Amino acid sequence: MQENTTNVNNKPTLNFIEEIVETDIQNSKNGSRVHTRFPPEPNGYLHIGHAKSICLNFGLAKKYNGKCNLRFDDTNPTKEDVEYVDSIREDVKWLGFNWDGEYYASDYFEQLYEWAIQLIKIGKAYVCDLTQEQMSAYRGTPTKPGTESPYRSRSIDENIDLFTRMRNGEFPDGSRVLRAKVDMSSPIMHMRDPILYRIIHTDHHRTGNKWCIYPMYDYAHGQSDSIEGITHSICTLEFEVHRPLYDWFIKTLEIHAPQQIEFARLNISYTLMSKRKLLELVNEKYVSGWDDPRMPTICGIRRRGYTPESLRNFAELIGVAKRDNVIDIALLEHCIREDLNKKAMRVMTVLNPLKVVIDNYPDTTEEMDAINNPEDETAGSRKVPFSKVIYIERDDFMEEPSKKYFRLSPGNEVRLRYAYFIKCESFVKDENGEITEVHCSYDPASRGGNSPDGRKVKGTIHWVSAQHAVDIEVRLFERLFNAYDPENYPEGGSYKDNLNPDSLKVINNCKAEPYLKNVAVLSSYQFERLGYFCVDQDSKDGKMVFNRTVSLKDSWAKIEKKEEK
RNA sequence: UGUCCUGUGGUGUAAUUGGCAACACGUCUGAUUCUGGAUCAGAAGAGUUUAGGUUCGAGACCUAACAGGACAACCA
């Protein structure tokens, strides 16, 4: 974990939420207790924006010896499903967090109902028969005050009667709602008699057909927080304008008052974060599923090969504040490279094979010692078979090299990693001018990779022995969107116009050293000089599939780019 | 023509409460290296949206502008 930055007194700096929490602790607010919650609606898969919130809420609880609940905000049965509940539980766990209590807003339906009755009894809620269109017209606009509903002055008895019958299923969907009686002329739209309950004759994934009226978010969320004894209710900025209503319910009901605090949601360059649109990408098959490795979902990122540690570190690095932000995708990539550099075993694979024949090498096989991870001594070493015919990367040979090219070219000598120095003597082209084979000579004295005469070579390239190679499939991913902000598209267009048509490239028949013949799903490797790769769940016995998590930093690519100019 | 929120290097976050702006990513040098990786050393890059004001002193406090964002689902 990265160190926090420190201030002049060498104390770690706090984000604005930690500052609030520490002040509250000092003032013995809530008995100096800290209790947060992560409250997803089970209507989709979690994405990396949620990961920020998860790290924040669970992190706060951990830092201040408090608790953090997992609470499903399941107040809309038409959109929610157990499939999502399960995936959310899995994702939070995978990220490395254990919740103190697992709750559902639906656990509180009875209590919420009783409080609604209470509100009616004190004249703070009423049943309204306005149609949706009418209600919208009565509500006014942000700049124009609303008008009071003609049903606003119903008697308490009539309201109780109607609301009870709403619950009993006597009315069809949409025919009536229960509204709070607040202030139709408030400049805050949410205070213009917001809806508390609506009629939905749909089975709920937990309560079945017990209810046909369901509470709205504003009515359910704060009270759920209150019931659970939440002290700091942290949410994203778009709920800022809801806070007066959040406080109004708590105050009117005279129950425990959590403090709602809003922070700016995460945005990442070239990445789409809207749940609704991600669902669209899945439904319309632009991606293979929620866990497509190009998706910013937690399960997608996991399948891509990101580690929980790298994500937690990312959440730490991006900080928490209230201003709109766009995090450079390069920071995310930095986090996974940093983590995998320390952990991932090195291995040699050739993605785009070019056959190399070492003419003066005997027809035998020998085993070369290769270090498993230069960053981790305890990782040990392994044997890699070497023979007369090997594959190298097509990019590692150039017929007419530029002066800064250090790899194999006619007459040039390079090192085969952990093996020998080889020198290119000749090469063969087919009728299309494509190079099909390179012939080299090797220096037997350079075994292991160093020449006793102290001769230096500039380039070291990776290789795989042809007769020992195992075929693997490799999936290379590029960003899903070409646009810095995928949501920014010309008029009449769609965010889908920003989709990158080349975001997935599948390469078959890549050559790997034998070690990779059968490795565990989700395990990560560094393919030397190429990048970090992770075993995909589509792997079958004898046919491994690897996802490229992220490439290695490539300073050669930069030089190449410069030379093009 | 309402209410609320936010403006600090390219990006993000700091500056403990008023003492001449720090850290990370990115970028660029150079060293080193059996990964053009990693590592190490260094550099460039903001005078804090603007204008006033308070003060010996303002990124921070006050006022006013300007800019961006949120709010008008029986979604969350």
Side-chain angles (χ1 to χ4, degrees):
Chain A
M1 206 47 109
Q2 206 82 20
E3 290 268 316
N4 272 337
T5 49
T6 54
N7 62 18
V8 283
N9 301 326
N10 215 28
K11 285 188 201 151
T13 60
L14 304 174
N15 65 48
F16 81 100
I17 297 179
E18 291 170 329
E19 246 164 58
I20 293 170
V21 170
E22 291 202 1
T23 303
D24 289 348
I25 292 172
Q26 278 162 24
N27 296 339
S28 300
K29 189 176 172 184
N30 300 306
S32 293
R33 208 165 45 81
V34 174
H35 200 158
T36 56
R37 100 267 94 111
F38 173 62
E41 184 191 11
N43 68 342
Y45 281 67
L46 261 25
H47 57 60
I48 189 165
H50 296 108
K52 174 180 180 180
S53 173
I54 292 167
C55 291
L56 217 197
N57 278 295
F58 282 93
L60 241 22
K62 190 175 179 191
K63 181 166 182 175
Y64 297 106
N65 268 311
K67 290 183 174 174
C68 182
N69 293 348
L70 174 61
R71 183 174 70 239
F72 293 94
D73 230 330
D74 55 352
T75 57
N76 185 354
T78 64
K79 289 190 175 171
E80 295 149 9
D81 196 277
V82 278
E83 174 197 354
Y84 300 123
V85 171
D86 294 341
S87 75
I88 289 167
R89 299 175 86 250
E90 185 186 355
D91 288 347
V92 175
K93 263 192 242 167
W94 176 77
L95 265 178
F97 298 105
N98 299 305
W99 46 92
D100 289 281
E102 177 174 327
Y103 301 111
Y104 296 76
S106 53
D107 293 341
Y108 312 134
F109 281 176
E110 197 61 55
Q111 172 67 265
L112 257 14
Y113 178 82
E114 280 168 30
W115 276 332
I117 296 285
Q118 190 181 323
L119 287 175
I120 293 172
K121 285 183 176 164
I122 58 172
K124 294 289 187 187
Y126 62 98
V127 172
C128 182
D129 303 354
L130 252 27
T131 65
Q132 231 173 111
E133 296 70 38
Q134 287 171 321
M135 205 179 288
S136 171
Y138 273 79
R139 188 155 30 228
T141 69
T143 51
K144 265 182 259 155
T147 341
E148 294 187 352
S149 162
Y151 304 99
R152 202 175 200 256
S153 50
R154 279 216 253 240
S155 73
I156 289 172
D157 287 345
E158 189 184 2
N159 279 319
I160 296 275
D161 173 62
L162 252 18
F163 186 51
T164 309
R165 291 163 62 193
M166 275 169 66
R167 177 181 185 169
N168 292 342
E170 292 185 31
F171 309 117
D173 286 8
S175 56
R176 291 178 220 268
V177 293
L178 183 73
R179 299 176 74 176
K181 195 185 284 184
V182 191
D183 177 6
M184 285 309 288
S185 60
S186 170
I188 304 160
M189 295 301 288
H190 292 91
M191 297 302 263
R192 321 245 260 227
D193 289 12
I195 295 171
L196 269 47
Y197 276 91
R198 73 286 214 202
I199 301 169
I200 306 175
H201 288 269
T202 299
D203 281 8
H204 185 277
H205 67 102
R206 297 196 90 235
T207 59
N209 62 5
K210 187 174 177 197
W211 296 87
C212 61
I213 54 170
Y214 292 93
M216 297 285 288
Y217 165 85
D218 283 308
Y219 182 64
H221 196 96
Q223 279 65 265
S224 300
D225 283 342
S226 184
I227 290 168
E228 291 174 25
I230 299 302
T231 56
H232 303 270
S233 176
I234 297 160
C235 60
T236 45
L237 244 32
E238 64 267 30
F239 295 101
E240 205 157 33
V241 287
H242 295 239
R243 184 158 19 104
L245 182 56
Y246 183 105
D247 293 340
W248 185 89
F249 282 124
I250 298 283
K251 194 176 156 218
T252 309
L253 258 11
E254 298 179 297
I255 53 180
H256 163 70
Q259 180 183 3
Q260 177 178 303
I261 304 168
E262 312 86 11
F263 70 96
R265 69 185 317 146
L266 168 66
N267 297 293
I268 300 181
S269 57
Y270 300 99
T271 307
L272 188 71
M273 216 69 92
S274 148
K275 239 184 183 180
R276 203 198 90 230
K277 288 171 184 162
L278 293 178
L279 176 63
E280 247 172 52
L281 292 178
V282 172
N283 286 342
E284 296 169 25
K285 311 271 188 226
Y286 288 98
V287 294
S288 65
W290 284 104
D291 67 346
D292 186 299
R294 294 166 292 177
M295 291 282 275
T297 48
I298 293 179
C299 54
I301 289 171
R302 172 169 63 229
R303 190 171 172 188
R304 176 81 169 245
Y306 276 74
T307 58
E309 292 79 7
S310 70
L311 254 29
R312 278 186 256 128
N313 188 224
F314 176 72
E316 185 71 35
L317 289 181
I318 59 178
V320 181
K322 294 191 78 162
R323 66 185 90 112
D324 291 337
N325 61 83
V326 181
I327 305 291
D328 192 340
I329 184 86
L331 183 61
L332 218 208
E333 294 177 344
H334 164 260
C335 288
I336 188 59
R337 283 196 187 103
E338 182 184 60
D339 192 38
L340 256 19
N341 177 46
K342 289 178 292 190
K343 296 177 185 165
M345 176 174 166
R346 272 59 169 173
V347 105
M348 289 196 286
T349 66
V350 174
L351 267 34
N352 191 6
L354 174 62
K355 190 170 157 189
V356 171
V357 181
I358 303 162
D359 293 309
N360 62 338
Y361 189 84
D363 287 320
T364 56
T365 295
E366 60 182 314
E367 304 219 292
M368 315 308 295
D369 286 309
I371 294 164
N372 287 336
N373 186 350
E375 306 294 321
D376 176 11
E377 276 186 31
T378 65
S381 64
R382 70 188 184 285
K383 303 282 188 191
V384 183
F386 181 83
S387 62
K388 187 182 182 83
V389 182
I390 60 171
Y391 293 113
I392 66 166
E393 212 67 61
R394 215 157 252 285
D395 282 350
D396 287 340
F397 178 81
M398 217 178 199
E399 188 182 345
E400 289 166 353
S402 65
K403 49 198 171 308
K404 283 183 178 164
Y405 188 80
F406 302 153
R407 284 111 95 149
L408 200 62
S409 58
N412 192 39
E413 188 175 46
V414 298
R415 170 168 38 232
L416 292 177
R417 181 139 233 234
Y418 300 125
Y420 294 99
F421 286 6
I422 59 167
K423 189 194 230 175
C424 171
E425 303 292 351
S426 64
F427 56 91
V428 182
K429 277 187 183 177
D430 65 12
E431 57 276 12
N432 303 319
E434 179 128 356
I435 294 162
T436 55
E437 200 171 295
V438 175
H439 287 265
C440 292
S441 59
Y442 86 114
D443 175 4
S446 63
R447 188 177 197 280
N450 283 302
S451 172
D453 64 10
R455 179 166 100 251
K456 297 282 180 201
V457 288
K458 270 206 144 166
T460 300
I461 63 175
H462 59 278
W463 51 273
V464 171
S465 166
Q467 69 172 114
H468 303 94
V470 296
D471 280 1
I472 60 171
E473 176 182 320
V474 169
R475 297 175 183 171
L476 302 179
F477 306 106
E478 300 290 338
R479 47 179 66 130
L480 231 199
F481 291 94
N482 278 325
Y484 178 81
D485 174 11
E487 308 250 28
N488 182 9
Y489 47 83
E491 268 208 38
S494 149
Y495 68 95
K496 291 171 201 161
D497 299 340
N498 289 323
L499 244 9
N500 175 9
D502 304 315
S503 59
L504 168 64
K505 191 175 165 198
V506 179
I507 324 181
N508 266 291
N509 307 318
C510 300
K511 307 294 180 184
E513 63 173 276
Y515 184 89
L516 253 27
K517 191 164 187 161
N518 205 348
V519 281
V521 170
L522 240 43
S523 55
S524 285
Y525 299 87
Q526 186 198 95
F527 291 1
E528 295 231 21
R529 303 209 304 133
L530 297 173
Y532 295 98
F533 293 75
C534 167
V535 181
D536 190 77
Q537 62 203 34
D538 288 347
S539 296
K540 291 182 201 75
D541 214 23
K543 186 60 194 273
M544 302 300 294
V545 177
F546 290 86
N547 295 323
R548 183 172 67 192
T549 308
V550 67
S551 65
L552 249 31
K553 278 206 217 161
D554 191 350
S555 49
W556 167 241
K558 283 182 192 169
I559 295 168
E560 253 187 327
K561 226 178 189 176
K562 264 190 213 164
E563 285 185 345
E564 270 174 34
K565 284 176 189 169

